[in-house]
Amino acid sequence: QVQLVESGGGLVQAGGSLRLSCAASGRTASSYAMGWFRQAPGKEREFVAAISSGQITNYAASVKGRFTISRSSAKSTVYLQMNSLQFEDTAVYYCAADPASIAQTMGVIWGQGTQVTVSS
């Protein structure tokens, strides 16, 4: 069973940067597609970005050009580099894993979430 642990959240000023990490454990973790979602207060969880085991990526329109998803050479850690952060990016960010899909509906296994707060 794949398990996910996120880290790297925190408080940052608007225009700043943060990098989130998600470590996946489990025998088959490196073969899973992995992604990031976020949920702001009072809003539904929304897709941010995803990456396949073959390094194919998918981004939400709202973050394209500002956020970059990548994964380690061992493929068991996924990163989300967030630049030019805006107040609207404030949310709890969740790591997700999926056997294959990088679509916006992906996500079978979830991490516990990490808070990102952008001050205006």
Side-chain angles (χ1 to χ4, degrees):
Q1 178 73 6
V2 174
Q3 293 184 318
L4 306 174
V5 178
E6 301 103 330
S7 61
L11 173 65
V12 63
Q13 288 188 329
S17 299
L18 274 178
R19 188 174 83 155
L20 305 182
S21 300
C22 174
S25 61
R27 187 170 55 88
T28 59
S30 62
S31 68
Y32 274 60
M34 296 179 72
W36 291 94
F37 287 70
R38 65 187 182 186
Q39 187 168 19
K43 295 187 176 181
E44 293 188 354
R45 187 177 296 186
E46 65 173 359
F47 172 82
V48 175
I51 186 168
S52 70
S53 60
Q55 308 286 357
I56 298 171
T57 58
N58 184 24
Y59 291 93
S62 59
V63 306
K64 207 167 188 178
R66 300 188 298 123
F67 292 9
T68 302
I69 190 170
S70 61
R71 61 195 301 169
S72 63
S73 57
K75 301 183 180 180
S76 59
T77 301
V78 66
Y79 305 99
L80 185 68
Q81 178 66 43
M82 305 184 293
N83 298 328
S84 301
L85 282 161
Q86 304 166 357
F87 178 75
E88 294 73 24
D89 296 315
T90 296
V92 177
Y93 282 70
Y94 295 91
C95 181
D98 191 288
S101 176
I102 59 169
Q104 297 194 6
T105 54
M106 65 90 69
V108 174
I109 300 167
W110 297 88
Q112 81 286 355
T114 185
Q115 176 71 46
V116 172
T117 303
V118 183
S119 62
S120 58

